Amino acid sequence: MLWKTIDTDDKAAANLVERLSLPKVLAELLVQRDITTTEAAEEFLRPRLAQLDNPFAMTHLEAAVERIEQAIEGRESVVIFGDYDVDGVTSTVQLVSMLRTLDLEPRYSVPRRMDEGYGLSRDAIDRVFGSEIPQLFIALDCGTNAHEPIAYLRELGVDVIIVDHHQTKTQAPADCIFVNPHVNDSEDAPWRDLCTAGLVFKLLHGLLKHRREAEDPRVEGIQLKDYLDLVAMGTVADLVPLHAENRILSWFGLRHLRANGRIGIRALAEVSGIDGGQEMASADISFKIAPRINASGRLADASLPINLLLHQDYSECQKMAKQLDLMNKERQGIERSIAKLAEERAAAEFADEPGIVLFGDDWHPGVVGIVASRVSRHFHKPCVILGSEGDEAKGSGRSVASVNLVEVFQSCAHLLGHWGGHPMAAGVSLKTTDVPAFKKCYLESLKKLYPAGLPEPSLLISTWLDYADLGERLLEELDRLHPFGQGNPEPVFGLQGIVLDEAPQAFGEGNFRFRMPISPSARRGIAGIAWRVGAAPDVGQKVDMAIRFSWNYWRDSRNPQVTLVDWKPSEQVMEGRL
């Protein structure tokens, strides 16, 4: 893997150091994020909810608010239909909670993945409606490309609101109120990259503004900030860029998560091994909370986490959280067995290809997205993993930097049934008989779109540190950049000439624990961990390390910890700056 040091505008960084009295490392990291003025730096380091734009500046949002108000005033029958991932679940919980406060009792549901597939479908509509057709149907985190299901809803006489952030395959849906900034709004709109949880928060903001103007007594006690924990979960889990309004919402939302005010989240944090007294970080969402919520939608019915987050009884929430934890363990076991075989097949069948498509007729479609992520990272190639469901192959694709999966799938759309998602992650279904043709089309599309081949994988080094720089003071400065995620990546630092005094201790597959050498700033040597790095450095060997530096929380205490990303013998020459 190539190591490349990110080029930094030293003059701009020095200006931030001088004007804002920032440490040099923090100023460099801000400039690398294109934050070069004192005003932009202050906004980034000190987010304020007042920086959020008027919700009614978003196209069609006021029309959606007015139609929901009509339902409230007329006490109409309403169905809310969300997606089965964290973004869809948290979006659904927000809207159901608000409408209940306003004396509506909406029905809610999500797709049953194994029976109905991805997104909004006629089968799902028929199941949810049963014999009771509602007056208003609100789809959250799905529906942008559901032209036929929307037409079916309208034939039934149902009004439709779509709130979504996915890209269109052809054209925007007609005959409905359609809120989707990726389709309707300008590229520089500060809300453009919101996930659906963020869009629903804006919808609730607009609804509260209208209700307060109408002097509705039911909204007097509502604090909009109480929904920010849900917004943070959806935003971080859905891998949307954490800048502009996404940064503000996730920054404040994490603080509400830390308070554990929502009973269901407190129960979920408990089974996830998150200490009640610790500060919650974006990694806790990504690696602990989100997998447990997603496990339900992957293996069963994602209504369970919705019920958990809406429930008010802690003992019941504990039971539901334990169910989700068991499902997650089941999901992990299934995933491990599939991933091992998928990696073996990928190495044998796609060594000379720009991408990977693997199908297993006994692979569970609910976990193949996680396997696709692992295989894609391992081989640094865009990967599609498909499982079997009757005569259909269903699965997920995961991409690598610079490869847009939506473009690739668009080239093969004639072979696909339901499909959709983001440039980096997308769901897909097709007939099992079409899998060989899809594999051929997929690989040909990649070769056509990227004729020079995929770029060699590289590791971006934010800056090089002296080992003595690693300490609590640096971590407290890095805390000001949180939350890390898409668009605001956790920095990777370079260290030169490190010599371990103790032998690393291996565990699991390619993982090991180690301790950094003793130094004036770290008398015990900082604890370190490496995940799937492979071989460990030898004791006494001089090596250069690429690391992440963070707090490790344990039993009401926190200590600095190094996470080793990669290492090389110090004699190797580093690549130049970007």
Side-chain angles (χ1 to χ4, degrees):
M1 182 181 292
L2 296 175
W3 291 15
K4 296 182 179 180
T5 305
I6 299 173
D7 196 13
T8 305
D9 185 334
D10 294 332
K11 184 177 180 181
N15 182 57
L16 293 180
V17 170
E18 179 183 351
R19 290 179 175 269
L20 297 177
S21 300
L22 298 178
K24 182 173 180 288
V25 171
L26 186 61
E28 289 175 342
L29 293 173
L30 287 171
V31 170
Q32 289 171 12
R33 287 155 174 74
D34 294 323
I35 300 168
T36 56
T37 67
T38 55
E39 295 80 6
E42 286 180 324
E43 282 192 6
F44 187 88
L45 295 174
R46 300 181 183 88
R48 293 179 297 115
L49 289 173
Q51 294 167 350
L52 295 173
D53 213 320
N54 177 6
F56 295 132
M58 188 182 300
T59 304
H60 300 153
L61 189 135
E62 189 159 21
V65 166
E66 290 171 350
R67 182 61 188 87
I68 292 172
E69 285 189 294
Q70 179 185 325
I72 293 167
E73 295 298 328
R75 300 188 64 81
E76 295 180 4
S77 171
V78 177
V79 166
I80 298 171
F81 188 85
D83 199 9
Y84 44 58
D85 63 1
V86 179
D87 189 22
V89 166
T90 53
S91 299
T92 302
V93 172
Q94 286 185 77
L95 189 52
V96 170
S97 297
M98 178 65 77
L99 293 185
R100 284 179 173 178
T101 304
L102 295 169
D103 296 332
L104 275 185
E105 193 59 45
R107 287 181 283 161
Y108 59 86
S109 188
V110 294
R112 290 180 178 168
R113 186 170 191 154
M114 300 303 294
D115 301 324
E116 299 159 357
Y118 175 87
L120 181 59
S121 67
R122 186 165 177 158
D123 287 343
I125 292 168
D126 288 339
R127 170 182 59 82
V128 175
F129 285 7
S131 59
E132 184 185 347
I133 297 176
Q135 293 155 285
L136 177 62
F137 182 91
I138 305 173
L140 304 178
D141 200 33
C142 59
T144 290
N145 296 294
H147 300 283
E148 192 278 332
I150 292 170
Y152 177 56
L153 286 165
R154 296 299 293 130
E155 288 172 9
L156 295 173
V158 181
D159 287 344
V160 179
I161 297 173
I162 304 289
V163 182
D164 194 11
H165 71 123
H166 293 99
Q167 298 180 8
T168 52
K169 300 173 190 173
T170 52
Q171 60 193 30
D175 205 15
C176 66
I177 298 173
F178 179 56
V179 179
N180 185 331
H182 264 291
V183 179
N184 298 330
D185 296 290
S186 64
E187 291 188 8
D188 60 353
W191 57 81
R192 178 177 169 83
D193 287 324
L194 292 177
C195 66
T196 306
L199 297 177
V200 171
F201 183 83
K202 302 279 279 190
L203 180 72
L204 300 191
H205 187 188
L207 184 58
L208 280 181
K209 284 172 71 75
H210 268 209
R211 290 287 85 199
R212 284 172 177 152
E213 289 168 3
E215 299 182 346
D216 187 335
R218 293 170 295 189
V219 302
E220 287 180 3
I222 296 177
Q223 295 289 326
L224 195 59
K225 65 183 181 181
D226 291 339
Y227 292 83
L228 284 168
D229 55 347
L230 298 168
V231 180
M233 288 166 60
T235 300
V236 171
D238 219 52
L239 302 179
V240 289
L242 297 182
H243 54 58
E245 293 200 352
N246 273 331
R247 171 163 175 78
I248 299 169
L249 293 172
S250 57
W251 193 91
F252 281 97
L254 277 171
R255 280 149 182 80
H256 280 267
L257 267 172
R258 289 168 187 164
N260 279 335
R262 196 175 301 274
I263 293 172
I265 290 177
R266 187 155 27 111
L268 199 54
E270 186 179 291
V271 299
S272 301
I274 300 172
D275 193 303
Q278 79 172 60
E279 294 183 352
M280 204 174 289
S282 55
D284 293 311
I285 296 174
S286 299
F287 299 112
K288 296 179 180 179
I289 291 176
R292 287 167 172 82
I293 291 176
N294 284 333
S296 179
R298 295 181 193 282
L299 300 182
D301 182 353
S303 294
L304 178 61
I306 296 176
N307 296 338
L308 167 71
L309 296 175
L310 288 170
H311 219 284
Q312 298 299 315
D313 182 85
Y314 188 59
S315 62
E316 288 300 314
C317 286
Q318 285 180 309
K319 292 177 186 176
M320 287 186 275
K322 288 175 182 176
Q323 279 184 268
L324 291 174
D325 190 50
L326 288 172
M327 287 181 186
N328 189 52
K329 289 174 181 174
E330 180 186 356
R331 185 270 306 167
Q332 289 173 322
I334 296 170
E335 171 209 324
R336 280 193 293 269
S337 62
I338 296 175
K340 184 175 185 297
L341 181 57
E343 289 186 352
E344 291 172 356
R345 284 184 54 190
E349 299 173 27
F350 296 90
D352 299 320
E353 297 289 357
I356 297 165
V357 177
L358 292 170
F359 169 68
D361 57 13
D362 60 346
W363 290 355
H364 195 300
V367 304
V368 292
I370 304 167
V371 175
S373 295
R374 178 169 167 174
V375 174
S376 177
R377 286 195 304 269
H378 183 79
F379 294 97
H380 193 71
K381 294 178 181 181
C383 175
V384 180
I385 304 290
L386 300 165
S388 177
E389 186 177 308
D391 61 355
E392 281 200 325
K394 295 183 178 181
S396 295
R398 295 295 185 270
S399 196
V400 296
S402 78
V403 177
N404 186 330
L405 267 186
V406 174
E407 286 185 352
V408 179
F409 281 5
Q410 187 71 60
S411 301
C412 305
H414 60 287
L415 294 167
L416 304 177
H418 291 295
W419 70 274
H422 314 290
M424 293 295 291
V428 61
S429 69
L430 66 157
K431 294 179 180 178
T432 54
T433 52
D434 286 336
V435 170
F438 170 67
K439 178 169 68 174
K440 181 180 178 183
C441 178
Y442 177 84
L443 296 175
E444 288 176 350
S445 176
L446 283 170
K447 292 171 184 176
K448 184 176 180 181
L449 289 168
Y450 306 95
L454 303 184
E456 184 176 352
S458 59
L459 179 62
L460 301 182
I461 306 294
S462 296
T463 191
W464 290 83
L465 300 177
D466 292 329
Y467 178 51
D469 294 333
L470 299 184
E472 295 190 2
R473 184 175 179 182
L474 174 59
L475 285 177
E476 287 166 357
E477 293 299 336
L478 293 178
D479 283 346
R480 302 176 70 185
L481 297 178
H482 283 268
F484 294 129
Q486 196 79 8
N488 183 34
E490 184 177 1
V492 175
F493 299 111
L495 299 172
Q496 291 182 308
I498 301 297
V499 179
L500 299 184
D501 301 324
E502 304 174 16
Q505 302 298 310
F507 69 98
E509 293 183 40
N511 312 319
F512 56 87
R513 295 183 181 90
F514 62 99
R515 188 164 291 280
M516 299 290 281
I518 296 171
S519 76
S521 61
R523 285 174 288 179
R524 278 196 71 239
I526 298 170
I529 195 163
W531 301 104
R532 294 178 65 84
V533 171
D538 295 327
V539 173
Q541 180 183 13
K542 185 179 287 188
V543 299
D544 296 333
M545 291 183 169
I547 65 160
R548 293 189 176 94
F549 192 45
S550 60
W551 296 108
N552 178 42
Y553 293 89
W554 176 250
R555 292 182 178 174
D556 296 326
S557 65
R558 65 178 191 177
N559 295 289
Q561 176 177 274
V562 163
T563 299
L564 183 64
V565 180
D566 195 15
W567 67 273
K568 297 182 179 183
S570 288
E571 291 73 24
Q572 289 191 14
V573 178
M574 297 296 102
E575 291 293 320
R577 298 170 74 88
L578 283 178

